[in-house]
Amino acid sequence: MVTSSSSSLILFCLTVSLLLLLLPLPSHCADPDPLLDLCVANLTASTSSSYFPCKLPSEVTADDFVFDGLSKQGNVTNLFGVAVTTGNVLSFPGLNTLGLSMNRVDFGPGGINPPHSHPRASEIGIVIEGTILSGIVTTKNVYYGKVATAGQVFAVPRGLVHFELNLGQTKALFFTAFNSHLPGSTVLPLSLFAAAPSIPMEVLTKTYLVDEDAINAMKSKFVF
């Protein structure tokens, strides 16, 4: 004979079992482990996932696993006095599925890597030359800033707004690494004032509490 307490226990177990089937498990939320020794990106193929399709093994060469772009100094004669050279899967196909990439960042005197964020990766950087102010802002609008010199390392949590400023009167250089083969970058001033099509004027004037002349003055600085 099934008692009331037994019925409740059975119902509870069935409910929990159903929830476990319906709710996504943590393992389903992470990137899948690679199933191949290597998967060099076929950059000419279309992709609908986080990874590019693999090149055929017969098309893979040693050059796919070597990238010399970070050995070259970037051109800092621009609006911000900074040059970011990206070593991600788009320029370094051998990184496909590996979950890592690197950038080289060159600064002219007083140059700035303006406030930006990386939506798909955390970041760790090391200063090679110069004196750099590295700052991050949390989602609670708390600012953390620290001056770093050659040999010092800084970290940036995924998705947080951050910047780097060369405090010196000479050039500066740092390298940064990411836990994504394509971390992405959203540069705030460009996103707001150089978007195409443009963000509606009313949105910008109400956001910054200024008139249209002030917004147009800002936009004029980002015409490339």
Side-chain angles (χ1 to χ4, degrees), residues 16-147:
V16 171
S17 298
L18 181 61
L19 287 173
L20 288 175
L21 288 173
L22 293 177
L23 292 175
L25 296 176
S27 60
H28 295 164
C29 299
D31 290 339
D33 290 331
L35 299 178
L36 304 171
D37 289 342
L38 51 90
C39 178
V40 175
N42 179 357
L43 298 177
T44 62
S46 60
T47 178
S48 59
S49 67
S50 298
Y51 302 137
F52 285 91
C54 306
K55 277 186 177 182
L56 294 174
S58 60
E59 298 175 349
V60 175
T61 70
D63 289 339
D64 290 319
F65 301 99
V66 177
F67 176 63
D68 66 357
L70 303 189
S71 66
K72 303 168 184 175
Q73 183 174 329
N75 182 1
V76 299
T77 56
N78 55 59
L79 188 64
F80 296 117
V82 68
V84 179
T85 305
T86 57
N88 57 42
V89 68
L90 298 180
S91 55
F92 193 178
L95 295 179
N96 194 40
T97 77
L98 299 187
L100 50 85
S101 58
M102 291 185 70
N103 285 355
R104 171 182 176 137
V105 186
D106 289 280
F107 295 85
I112 186 171
N113 195 12
H116 62 283
S117 65
H118 303 289
R120 296 185 289 274
S122 296
E123 173 182 354
I124 186 168
I126 180 168
V127 179
I128 304 300
E129 180 181 357
T131 302
I132 293 175
L133 171 62
S134 173
I136 62 175
V137 181
T138 72
T139 56
K140 294 183 178 180
N141 296 323
V142 178
Y143 165 69
Y144 297 94
K146 183 75 174 179
V147 176

Side-chain angles (χ1 to χ4, degrees), residues 113-204:
N113 195 12
H116 62 283
S117 65
H118 303 289
R120 296 185 289 274
S122 296
E123 173 182 354
I124 186 168
I126 180 168
V127 179
I128 304 300
E129 180 181 357
T131 302
I132 293 175
L133 171 62
S134 173
I136 62 175
V137 181
T138 72
T139 56
K140 294 183 178 180
N141 296 323
V142 178
Y143 165 69
Y144 297 94
K146 183 75 174 179
V147 176
T149 55
Q152 293 186 305
V153 176
F154 59 88
V156 180
R158 174 179 174 175
L160 291 190
V161 172
H162 59 288
F163 65 85
E164 294 87 26
L165 171 66
N166 179 10
L167 296 177
Q169 298 304 309
T170 58
K171 65 182 182 179
L173 169 67
F174 76 85
F175 287 90
T176 185
F178 305 92
N179 63 336
S180 169
H181 67 193
L182 193 60
S185 181
T186 302
V187 182
L188 270 61
L190 300 184
S191 295
L192 291 168
F193 299 109
S198 298
I199 295 174
M201 180 63 75
E202 183 179 9
V203 173
L204 295 174

